[in-house]
Amino acid sequence: MSRKTPLEELRTRRERARLGGGEKRIAKQHAQGKLTARERIEKLLDPHSFDEIGSLATHHIHEFGMDDKRFPGDGVVTGFGTIEGQRVAVYAQDFTVLGGSFSEMQANKISRLLDLAREAGIPFIGLIESGGARIQEGVRGLAGYGRLFTRNVLASGVIPQIAVVMGPAAGGSVYSPALMDFIIMVDKTSHMFLTGPDVIKTVTGEDVTFEELGGARVHNEKSGVAHFIAANEEEALQLVRRILSYLPPNNAEMPPRAQPKSPPAELVEGLNHVIPEEEDQAYDIHDVLNRIVDPDSFLEVQPHFARNAVVGFARLDGWPVGIVANQPAFLAGVLDIDSSDKIARFVRLCDAYNLPVITFIDCPGFLPGVGQEHGGIIRHGAKVVYAYVEATVPKISIVLRKAIGGAYIAMSSKEMRTDLALAWPTAQIATMGAEGAVRILYRRELAQAEDPQKLAQEFEADYREKILNPFVAAELFYIDEVIEPKETRRRLIRALHVLRSKVQTNPPKKHGLMPV
Ligand code: HXC
């Protein structure tokens, strides 16, 4: 029998690596509506741009029959490629190999990739499908997680890190995504949990399905762990490309400008009438945002979680910006525990990657209630203040309607290092609304009045004139300028032009104590 030439040997090994866990398991993966690791990478990257490293590396465990379960690559594909011509590092776990379980060698491969990505200053993307720490490896896999988590943390705020969960992510496999900037989950096929339904049944007696426990909907709507839900794998991978279009490759560079586009003139003009005449009537903040930012440029982040706040990326004159807004159409746009977390995290993300933050305010304040107080609204609400003050990127705020009490202060108020504080003529800036204020200030007078309702209306009108309007705040210079709503886009674009070279620093320190 003739021996293989070195070239033949290489080709044979490469073919084995390409097949992962084998044809049968690949067919099973497809039957479940899932792509393989390599197919995912191909769909994510620009055509033919992927260069793999570590395709022949594998584990060296002999116990538990592992000598027969040695696969080149060891269940993870790692390498470099491009997205819209920009360099990225990517890894994809291969579920056909031992359930994508996380081994010492997986840790070595992914950690090396992340080290190289951080040093090169390029985004890092993980396509995750894994049964967690490889049970046969004991401490090796656990220590490997420690190595990877360390690198996730050190790269945090240096290079964008995006996790796409495309199947099960169990045990330790949830914490690397949780340490990254974004988690995208695929509806129905992805699940994230620390311990699965069987363990939960044993420990707490609760009966729960994978979907109810850690499905894409749960983590996008309830837990706030995930940031996006995609209908299928293709959509999830396209989302990664779209997210990266707003971000610089690393924190030392500026976000990339796209072709500027303006909304149609009639849409911009319509802004003057977008706030309802009735002051408690709801409206959808998206209707405001879409009349201001470049058409089709708004990408909402966490759209299904804490819907009383809206955060996301957009472009103004082609330049990427971060948008934070209250949503009057949901719980009147109130600030609560979850929306505080959502806003604070997003502001810090923008600050890390040099995206200006534009804040649109229509908020009646913090949500009152025992549940909120006992849940720590003081601690969570403080995050919003902390994030805004700490951020050194350009910050612009616009009060559309209510900026009542804590909402005025917390939502990028001028005194919290906001560069430009604007208000629409409909703005109401005060400690509390007219009705509440009059009830407290004139309790005695109203109790003795012949017609308390009429008197209350008079007091309210007086309160509106003396306090509850933007002109008082503008006269005191707590608002820089009151503008017509239809001028907003133009003002923002010009202000950002001025602020592009803004330099601001924080006092030297190891780190502050973000109220987590
Ligand atoms: C080794 C594993 C594995 C693991 C799955 N496999 N998880 N092998 N270590 N952690 C193997 C299975 O034995 C099986 O091999 C193959 O992968 C496919 O798995 P299935 O169970 O057939 O697939 P499926 O029915 O789709 O279920 C997927 C799953 C389930 C939900 C992920 O496999 C599962 O519950 N796995 C264990 C999850 C877990 O508890 N992991 C440890 C976490 S502890 P064969 O050869 O039979 O096809 C941890 C430590 C850190 O991670 C904790 C930090 C908080």
Side-chain angles (χ1 to χ4, degrees):
M1 212 166 74
S2 66
R3 279 185 55 198
K4 281 191 197 133
T5 67
L7 207 57
E8 284 167 347
E9 180 65 28
L10 172 63
R11 285 178 183 154
T12 308
R13 285 177 181 244
R14 275 197 172 165
E15 180 57 14
R16 278 194 58 208
R18 195 186 62 78
L19 279 177
E23 300 281 10
K24 251 199 192 147
R25 284 176 194 266
I26 291 175
K28 189 174 172 199
Q29 183 84 350
H30 286 159
Q32 290 175 338
K34 296 187 289 188
L35 297 171
T36 64
R38 282 167 203 284
E39 288 165 344
R40 286 169 179 162
I41 289 179
E42 215 164 279
K43 278 220 181 312
L44 170 71
L45 299 178
D46 296 340
H48 314 298
S49 70
F50 185 59
D51 282 324
E52 187 170 352
I53 56 168
S55 69
L56 305 181
T58 188
H59 72 78
H60 294 86
I61 305 292
H62 305 289
E63 304 83 5
F64 309 108
M66 290 296 278
D67 279 327
D68 301 331
K69 292 182 180 169
R70 209 161 273 140
F71 299 87
D74 208 27
V76 67
V77 182
T78 51
F80 299 93
T82 62
I83 287 179
E84 300 293 339
Q86 299 296 315
R87 299 164 302 158
V88 296
V90 59
Y91 81 86
Q93 283 172 315
D94 183 349
F95 195 74
T96 68
V97 174
L98 300 164
S101 53
F102 190 82
S103 63
E104 182 178 45
M105 189 52 78
Q106 281 214 8
N108 291 346
K109 287 178 64 178
I110 302 169
S111 298
R112 174 158 171 79
L113 188 76
L114 187 40
D115 282 341
L116 292 170
R118 180 162 63 89
E119 284 161 14
I122 61 175
F124 176 75
I125 301 155
L127 310 181
I128 290 149
E129 185 173 15
S130 171
R134 188 172 294 167
I135 296 160
Q136 298 90 330
E137 295 210 3
V139 68
R140 292 179 181 90
L142 300 180
Y145 273 133
R147 269 205 299 289
L148 175 57
F149 298 167
T150 298
R151 280 151 180 88
N152 286 133
V153 173
L154 294 180
S156 180
V158 181
I159 51 170
Q161 300 185 73
I162 304 177
V164 192
V165 180
M166 311 188 85
S173 289
V174 298
Y175 274 126
S176 180
L179 293 165
M180 294 165 79
D181 302 331
F182 297 99
I183 297 177
I184 301 169
M185 291 184 74
V186 182
D187 198 14
K188 308 277 195 308
T189 50
S190 71
H191 301 110
M192 296 178 76
F193 50 86
L194 280 176
T195 48
D198 288 350
V199 177
I200 290 181
K201 176 81 186 157
T202 315
V203 176
T204 69
E206 291 164 298
D207 263 318
V208 67
T209 64
F210 281 107
E211 191 64 23
E212 290 162 349
L213 178 65
R217 292 201 173 270
V218 166
H219 285 311
N220 274 274
E221 290 168 14
K222 274 194 186 164
S223 71
V225 164
H227 304 90
F228 297 98
I229 180 168
N232 50 51
E233 296 201 0
E234 179 111 23
E235 196 179 296
L237 298 169
Q238 284 307 313
L239 251 173
V240 176
R241 296 177 69 97
R242 181 142 188 239
I243 293 167
L244 288 178
S245 75
Y246 296 91
L247 298 173
N250 59 67
N251 66 335
E253 296 187 40
M254 294 307 284
R257 190 182 186 189
Q259 191 64 34
K261 281 187 275 175
S262 302
E266 64 273 16
L267 221 57
V268 177
E269 288 282 327
L271 265 183
N272 275 11
H273 311 288
V274 86
I275 300 280
E277 297 210 342
E278 286 293 318
E279 68 179 46
D280 284 327
Q281 202 178 321
Y283 62 94
D284 186 350
I285 192 69
H286 294 97
D287 191 29
V288 170
L289 301 177
N290 289 329
R291 292 167 190 267
I292 293 173
V293 301
D294 293 7
D296 304 319
S297 74
F298 187 54
L299 174 62
E300 190 166 346
V301 176
Q302 290 193 303
H304 308 291
F305 177 68
R307 285 166 51 209
N308 33 329
V310 169
V311 302
F313 302 116
R315 292 193 183 85
L316 274 167
D317 202 31
W319 293 102
V321 293
I323 302 277
V324 176
N326 309 115
Q327 170 58 291
F330 194 86
L331 292 175
V334 77
L335 272 174
D336 59 3
I337 289 171
D338 285 346
S339 61
S340 295
D341 282 3
K342 175 172 166 176
I343 291 171
R345 181 181 164 96
F346 187 72
V347 168
R348 297 190 98 213
L349 181 113
C350 292
D351 190 43
Y353 297 118
N354 307 319
L355 280 138
V357 180
I358 318 234
T359 304
F360 294 85
I361 301 135
D362 188 347
C363 179
F366 284 99
L367 180 64
V370 177
Q372 288 287 309
E373 297 284 352
H374 288 188
I377 183 65
I378 298 173
R379 176 164 57 88
H380 293 279
K383 295 178 198 176
V384 179
V385 174
Y386 199 102
Y388 271 115
V389 174
E390 184 189 44
T392 56
V393 286
K395 289 176 288 188
I396 303 174
S397 62
I398 309 140
V399 181
L400 311 185
R401 192 168 60 173
K402 292 175 188 162
I404 307 292
Y408 165 75
I409 312 166
M411 295 293 290
S412 200
S413 59
K414 186 170 166 180
E415 297 309 299
M416 297 200 329
R417 303 209 295 180
T418 292
D419 300 294
L420 185 66
L422 302 171
W424 286 2
T426 41
Q428 304 173 4
I429 304 170
T431 316
M432 57 176 69
E435 214 177 300
V438 163
R439 235 182 289 139
I440 292 173
L441 290 177
Y442 301 106
R443 191 182 330 163
R444 231 168 285 121
E445 289 86 337
L446 291 173
Q448 291 161 7
E450 263 177 39
D451 187 346
Q453 206 176 344
K454 185 159 167 269
L455 187 64
Q457 278 169 359
E458 282 169 26
F459 284 140
E460 280 175 32
D462 188 49
Y463 181 82
R464 279 176 211 287
E465 191 189 316
K466 297 203 174 103
I467 288 186
L468 197 69
N469 65 70
F471 305 106
V472 177
E475 283 172 16
L476 293 167
F477 202 36
Y478 288 119
I479 287 292
D480 287 309
E481 200 63 35
V482 181
I483 60 168
E484 277 199 43
K486 67 177 186 183
E487 296 166 358
T488 308
R489 176 178 162 86
R490 186 169 51 82
R491 292 293 302 224
L492 289 177
I493 288 173
R494 291 195 189 187
L496 288 173
H497 187 56
V498 172
L499 293 168
R500 205 150 286 130
S501 51
K502 173 188 174 187
V503 178
Q504 189 176 43
T505 53
N506 291 328
K509 52 181 144 179
K510 189 171 173 193
H511 57 72
L513 286 165
M514 173 79 175
V516 290

